[in-house]
């Protein structure tokens, strides 16, 4: 059994230091990670999916390296603006109904591309009390102040404000005194931000010591991350548009309240571009994940999204997704041929020297991942592995079952990092339930071919195709793989 060796160390880009750093958790082998989740008032688009996918790969990789990871990702189920209120009226549904619908859809969409369940998916609406406590603390410490329309955070009191986003102090002075009521604001609009917004009863509201209303967006993530991961934790992630104001404000609130460093490493994905523009809801330029999955399949889409490094903009291109299917297919074939050799209980001396080649490629994979999660390069190692296996079979014939098993033991953990839950679901499928019938049909096809009855032989091939099964003919005989689960 091959166990992962910490031969090289993970290095990641920290938005806070603006540098690549060697990853060293606060507590030896324990890692706490908080990933900003979806605002559940619409379906997930490709830009979100890419972000969640990267953190899925990161969590899996950290666990692969032997870390005990606690993974927390929130669900923002308090997001109310004029557009939402208008929609509630138009669709004649309650806020609660809207949130429930899209929360369900969010988890379905996560599942569709093979994402892990986080250890905790806290809902903002379930943590109002924690948010109120945090706001109270900020008022006590004089960072928060109460006005007629809510509670605000005084950014001029937090001397390190701007350390994540690089917003300069001059801008702060220019903006000082101004208050930002909305959640959507830009760099020109630096100012004190809302911790609690007072509202009236015709909007969804919660009770607080400062009257009915709702919490500001930023306080939600500070309260929930610290509840589940402690006042100081290792990794906080998000998309690049979270850097300012969301994460900058999270740092200000949390560090002002605790007097401790909030997060050690801040990681951000860059945007997905569609026709040269940022994919986002506010620009109305987006493709929903569920539509893309339906069109291209989840394996192809997942691989495609990981073929660009997370700190590079991804130019969404449908041709690229189609091309990803070539790699997916080759990996499927290589893995399932090995499974087949085990089911057939092949006994030969073929395959021992292939193990060294695979082992070297595995190290290449790890080195790529250690280099700031270089998924495109890691995927290249997987492509090479599939190619090596297929060429080897072509040249030397069926691989001995115990060597096949050994190779699968090396590959399962690393391929799962890239394909997530889709690996066991769609690649390393349980072939045993198809084995008997398919082998029987192949036998028949072989006989027909020997008799020169190619027409009838092709009928069998086509029947198998209908079952989602493809045949590949070699000098030594035919192998099959499940290309589509029907
Ligand atoms: Zn957040």
């Amino acid at each position: 059994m091959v166990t992962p060796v910490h031969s090289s160390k993970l290095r990641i880009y920290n938005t806070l230091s603006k540098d690549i750093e060697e990853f060293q958790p606060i507590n030896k082998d324990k890692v706490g990670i908080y990933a900003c989740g979806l605002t559940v008032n619409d379906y997930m688009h490709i830009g979100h999916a890419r972000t969640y996918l990267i953190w899925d790969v990161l969590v899996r990789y950290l666990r692969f390296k032997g870390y005990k990871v606690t993974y927390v990702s929130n669900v923002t189920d308090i997001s109310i603006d004029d557009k939402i209120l208008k929609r509630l009226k138009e669709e004649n549904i309650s806020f609660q109904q809207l949130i429930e619908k899209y929360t369900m859809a969010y988890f379905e969409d996560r599942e569709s591309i093979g994402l892990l369940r986080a250890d905790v998916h806290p809902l903002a609406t379930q943590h109002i009390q924690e948010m109120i406590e945090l706001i109270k603390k900020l008022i006590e410490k004089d960072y928060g102040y109460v006005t007629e329309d809510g509670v605000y955070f005084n950014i001029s009191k937090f001397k390190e404000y701007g350390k994540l986003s690089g917003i300069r102090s001059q801008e702060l002075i220019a903006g000082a005194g101004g208050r930002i009521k909305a959640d959507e604001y830009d760099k020109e609009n630096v100012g004190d931000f809302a911790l609690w917004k007072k509202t009236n009863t015709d909007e969804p509201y919660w009770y607080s010591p400062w009257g009915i209303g709702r919490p500001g967006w930023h306080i939600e993530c500070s309260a929930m991350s610290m509840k589940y991961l402690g006042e100081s934790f290792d990794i906080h992630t998000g998309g690049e548009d979270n850097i300012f104001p969301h994460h900058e404000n999270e740092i200000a609130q949390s560090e002002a309240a605790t007097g401790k460093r909030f997060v050690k490493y801040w990681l951000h994905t860059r945007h997905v571009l569609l026709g040269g523009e940022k994919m986002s809801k506010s620009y109305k330029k987006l493709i929903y994940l569920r539509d893309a999955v339906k069109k291209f399949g989840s394996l192809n889409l997942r691989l495609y999204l990981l073929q660009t490094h997370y700190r590079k903009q991804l130019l969404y291109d449908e041709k690229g997704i189609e091309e990803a299917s070539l790699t997916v297919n080759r990996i499927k074939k290589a893995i399932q041929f090995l499974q087949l050799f085990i089911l057939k209980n092949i006994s030969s001396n073929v395959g021992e020297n292939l193990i060294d080649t695979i082992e070297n490629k595995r190290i290449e994979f790890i080195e790529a991942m250690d280099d700031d999660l270089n998924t495109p390069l890691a995927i290249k190692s997987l492509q090479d592995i599939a190619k090596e296996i297929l060429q080897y079979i072509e040249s030397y014939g069926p691989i001995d079952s115990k060597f096949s098993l050994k190779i699968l033991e090396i590959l399962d953990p690393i391929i799962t990092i890239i394909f997530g839950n889709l690996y066991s679901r769609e690649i390393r499928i349980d072939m045993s339930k198809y084995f008997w019938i398919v082998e029987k049909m192949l036998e028949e096809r072989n006989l027909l071919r020997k008799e020169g009855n190619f027409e009838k032989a092709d009928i069998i091939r086509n029947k198998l195709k209908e079952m989602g099964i493809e045949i590949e003919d070699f000098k030594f005989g035919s192998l099959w793989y499940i290309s589509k689960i029907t």
Side-chain angles (χ1 to χ4, degrees):
M1 185 64 200
V2 185
T3 43
V5 229
H6 289 73
S7 52
S8 60
K9 288 253 164 104
L10 173 62
R11 296 171 309 281
I12 46 173
Y13 181 84
N14 188 348
T15 310
L16 190 61
S17 65
K18 283 150 201 71
D19 210 353
I20 304 257
E21 293 179 29
E22 188 175 291
F23 178 66
Q24 274 172 332
I26 299 166
N27 298 311
K28 225 176 126 221
D29 59 350
K30 286 200 184 83
V31 178
I33 170 164
Y34 185 88
C36 281
L38 192 71
T39 300
V40 284
N41 54 29
D42 199 358
Y43 296 115
M44 187 193 292
H45 64 62
I46 294 285
H48 299 131
R50 182 204 193 188
T51 297
Y52 305 142
L53 194 49
I54 296 292
W55 313 135
D56 183 74
V57 168
L58 171 66
V59 170
R60 289 175 190 278
Y61 189 61
L62 289 168
R63 287 184 179 149
F64 168 83
K65 298 221 33 127
Y67 293 112
K68 292 184 188 74
V69 181
T70 306
Y71 178 27
V72 180
S73 187
N74 67 304
V75 177
T76 296
D77 57 355
I78 305 176
S79 170
I80 300 151
D81 57 25
D82 292 343
K83 272 182 277 173
I84 300 280
L85 294 171
K86 208 173 134 214
R87 255 173 70 198
L88 296 181
K89 274 199 190 120
E90 280 168 4
E91 295 180 33
N92 195 25
I93 51 169
S94 69
F95 179 67
Q96 182 78 12
Q97 285 169 317
L98 178 96
I99 292 301
E100 278 168 6
K101 175 182 168 187
Y102 290 108
T103 304
M104 291 272 286
Y106 172 56
F107 285 104
E108 276 166 22
D109 286 346
R110 289 182 62 96
E111 188 62 28
S112 79
I113 46 166
L115 300 185
L116 282 165
R117 275 272 176 158
D119 298 293
V120 193
H121 280 288
L123 305 178
T125 48
Q126 305 295 313
H127 294 80
I128 303 287
Q129 193 53 42
E130 285 83 351
M131 297 179 214
I132 289 174
E133 293 302 326
L134 193 55
I135 298 169
K136 273 192 195 160
K137 214 183 223 178
L138 288 169
I139 296 172
E140 262 164 44
K141 292 199 169 186
D142 217 19
Y143 286 99
Y145 60 92
V146 183
T147 69
E148 69 289 347
D149 64 351
V151 185
Y152 286 84
F153 185 93
N154 182 348
I155 57 168
S156 66
K157 287 224 43 173
F158 186 69
K159 297 294 168 235
E160 290 180 65
Y161 193 87
K163 66 178 171 181
L164 182 72
S165 60
I167 294 241
R168 292 143 57 104
S169 53
Q170 287 95 315
E171 292 170 75
L172 289 180
I173 293 159
R179 283 176 211 145
I180 314 294
K181 289 179 191 166
D183 279 333
E184 295 253 340
Y185 54 128
D186 49 39
K187 287 192 188 180
E188 285 77 54
N189 256 336
V190 184
D192 293 354
F193 57 88
L195 298 168
W196 188 268
K197 304 173 203 182
K198 286 188 200 171
T199 56
N200 39 39
T201 47
D202 55 4
E203 291 179 22
Y205 63 87
W206 289 264
Y207 292 97
S208 85
W210 315 284
I212 60 164
R214 57 180 186 260
W217 167 37
H218 316 299
I219 198 75
E220 161 192 333
C221 285
S222 287
M224 294 194 287
S225 60
M226 290 198 285
K227 173 171 179 177
Y228 295 102
L229 297 169
E231 290 176 341
S232 290
F233 60 93
D234 301 290
I235 303 175
H236 195 313
T237 69
E240 65 176 318
D241 49 359
N242 287 147
I243 298 173
F244 184 85
H246 186 47
H247 291 164
E248 193 69 66
N249 291 351
E250 271 191 54
I251 294 177
Q253 297 161 156
S254 310
E255 298 191 353
T258 67
K260 293 178 192 161
R261 179 184 59 192
F262 176 42
V263 170
K264 195 169 177 190
Y265 303 94
W266 286 89
L267 273 59
H268 295 95
T269 49
R270 300 218 52 200
H271 290 313
V272 173
L273 301 185
L274 183 64
E277 281 176 74
K278 175 191 159 193
M279 195 179 284
S280 96
K281 215 177 134 188
S282 21
Y283 296 126
K284 289 209 165 51
K285 271 231 149 198
L286 53 83
I287 289 170
Y288 289 121
L289 175 70
R290 44 185 58 207
D291 296 333
V293 165
K294 213 184 267 169
K295 194 163 174 188
F296 300 104
S298 41
L299 274 176
N300 299 338
L301 193 64
R302 181 164 169 132
L303 188 82
Y304 168 74
L305 292 175
L306 291 174
Q307 271 176 325
T308 301
H309 189 252
Y310 77 97
R311 285 199 297 116
K312 283 202 179 111
Q313 289 183 329
L314 190 150
L315 309 159
Y316 187 76
D317 163 30
E318 299 199 330
K319 234 170 65 200
I321 312 176
E322 277 160 15
E323 279 163 18
S325 70
L326 297 175
T327 299
V328 166
N329 219 30
R330 232 172 271 144
I331 293 174
K332 257 186 204 169
K333 254 197 255 182
I335 294 298
Q336 293 189 20
F337 287 172
L338 293 172
Q339 288 181 261
L340 210 49
F341 298 144
I342 297 169
L343 281 171
K344 284 170 180 264
N345 203 9
I346 299 288
S347 175
S348 68
N349 50 10
V350 175
E352 195 163 16
N353 49 353
L354 180 62
I355 296 173
D356 290 338
T357 316
I358 302 291
E359 188 52 48
N360 287 334
K361 287 286 163 196
R362 184 186 92 104
I363 290 165
E364 267 182 37
F365 178 95
I366 294 172
E367 282 169 354
M369 291 297 289
D370 277 341
D371 184 14
D372 193 24
L373 303 177
N374 192 336
T375 52
L377 207 59
I379 290 168
K380 171 80 176 44
S381 311
L382 296 187
Q383 286 169 325
D384 291 348
I385 286 170
K387 205 170 112 194
E388 294 281 355
I389 294 172
L390 295 173
Q391 274 175 359
Y392 194 93
I393 295 170
E394 175 96 57
S395 315
Y396 304 104
I399 297 169
D400 182 275
S401 60
K402 65 175 180 297
F403 299 141
S404 297
L405 186 63
K406 177 102 189 153
I407 294 168
L408 284 175
E409 276 176 0
I410 300 171
L411 295 182
D412 286 343
I414 61 170
I415 305 188
T416 304
I417 294 167
I418 296 299
F419 287 104
N421 299 347
L422 302 179
Y423 179 57
S424 57
R425 207 192 298 162
E426 295 184 38
I427 296 177
R428 202 176 183 328
I429 304 164
D430 178 8
M431 296 173 84
S432 65
K433 48 183 167 197
Y434 301 82
F435 186 71
W436 185 83
I437 182 80
V438 177
E439 287 292 321
K440 208 81 197 145
M441 285 166 81
L442 279 186
E443 233 172 74
E444 211 177 306
R445 174 176 173 262
N446 276 344
L447 276 176
L448 290 167
R449 281 176 15 127
K450 260 185 210 148
E451 290 165 6
N453 195 343
F454 294 103
E455 218 168 289
K456 268 202 171 154
D458 279 347
I459 293 177
I460 295 182
R461 180 190 270 271
N462 290 336
K463 246 190 199 148
L464 285 167
K465 213 183 172 86
E466 276 167 32
M467 292 164 65
I469 288 161
E470 299 282 345
I471 308 168
E472 197 141 313
D473 295 316
F474 292 92
K475 280 176 288 185
F476 59 82
S478 307
L479 296 178
W480 53 277
Y481 69 101
I482 303 158
S483 77
K484 229 182 11 230
I485 309 162
T486 49

